[in-house]
């Protein structure tokens, strides 16, 4: 196995079956997405994978496609906290806004809004939900999507 792409729960179940000395020396990439990755998942990755292996945490939605990525390897220092959602994927803009759609400053929580050329057009037969969550683009740029998720920009 050189690339492993399980859901987060399956990854946890896999590492629970391993002995402390068990390792995956040929594993180059582990991709996790679908639910929140916890600090203990990072520890398990580093314990059982080679230092050159990469863990990619992906954040996405059906409406937007990929939103962000966060990468660590076997030498990344861990501080015991849950990992970041990462950095916007290529071609994607991510904003944290208040209830008036004004950008929030570093550290102030708000709603995550995503602008991407891969944005879905609308919800099928749900015009009110579409109007509330999808913001149309312009002739020169893509539209945006209110994810309903809360986030905040951190200095890192």
């Amino acid at each position: 196995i050189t690339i492993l792409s399980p859901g987060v729960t399956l990854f946890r179940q896999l590492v629970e079956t391993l002995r402390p000395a068990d390792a995956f020396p040929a594993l180059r990439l582990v991709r996790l997405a679908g639910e929140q990755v916890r600090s203990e998942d990072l520890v398990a990755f580093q314990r059982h994978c080679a230092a050159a292996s990469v863990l990619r945490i992906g954040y996405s939605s059906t409406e937007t496609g990929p939103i962000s990525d966060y990468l660590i390897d076997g030498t990344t220092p861990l501080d015991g906290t849950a990992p970041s959602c990462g950095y916007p994927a290529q071609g994607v803009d991510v904003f944290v806004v208040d209830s008036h759609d004004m950008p929030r400053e570093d550290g102030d929580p708000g709603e995550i809004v995503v602008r991407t050329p891969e944005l879905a057009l609308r919800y099928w037969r749900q015009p009110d939900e579409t109007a509330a969550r999808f913001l149309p683009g312009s002739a020169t740029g893509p539209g945006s999507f209110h994810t309903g998720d809360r986030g905040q920009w951190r200095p890192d």
Side-chain angles (χ1 to χ4, degrees):
I1 298 173
T2 59
I3 297 174
L4 180 64
S5 187
V8 176
T9 298
L10 185 57
F11 175 77
R12 289 181 188 139
Q13 291 173 345
L14 170 65
V15 296
E16 285 176 6
T17 67
L18 301 175
R19 297 177 304 239
D22 289 341
F24 296 103
L27 198 58
R28 295 180 296 122
L29 174 66
V30 176
R31 294 186 299 211
L32 297 180
E35 62 186 281
Q36 184 177 6
V37 176
R38 301 186 299 229
S39 62
E40 52 267 28
D41 301 322
L42 305 181
V43 171
F45 164 77
Q46 287 187 337
R47 180 181 307 126
H48 298 290
C49 296
S53 296
V54 174
L55 172 65
R56 176 194 170 268
I57 301 168
Y59 176 60
S60 64
S61 74
T62 302
E63 297 89 350
T64 63
I67 297 172
S68 66
D69 291 309
Y70 186 69
L71 304 173
I72 73 164
D73 64 19
T75 64
T76 302
L78 303 179
D79 63 7
T81 62
S84 164
C85 287
Y87 302 94
Q90 185 174 5
V92 175
D93 295 313
V94 177
F95 306 94
V96 177
V97 300
D98 65 16
S99 60
H100 304 290
D101 282 339
M102 297 301 298
R104 301 296 293 199
E105 299 298 322
D106 284 350
D108 293 333
E111 183 180 9
I112 299 171
V113 176
V114 179
R115 183 171 54 211
T116 175
E118 296 183 31
L119 187 64
L121 298 176
R122 63 188 162 276
Y123 290 126
W124 189 55
R125 294 186 178 175
Q126 297 181 34
D128 293 341
E129 186 71 11
T130 296
R133 310 252 330 246
F134 289 86
L135 303 174
S138 67
T140 59
S144 299
F145 178 72
H146 280 256
T147 66
D149 294 332
R150 308 261 315 148
Q152 67 188 90
W153 288 111
R154 297 186 332 192
D156 63 352

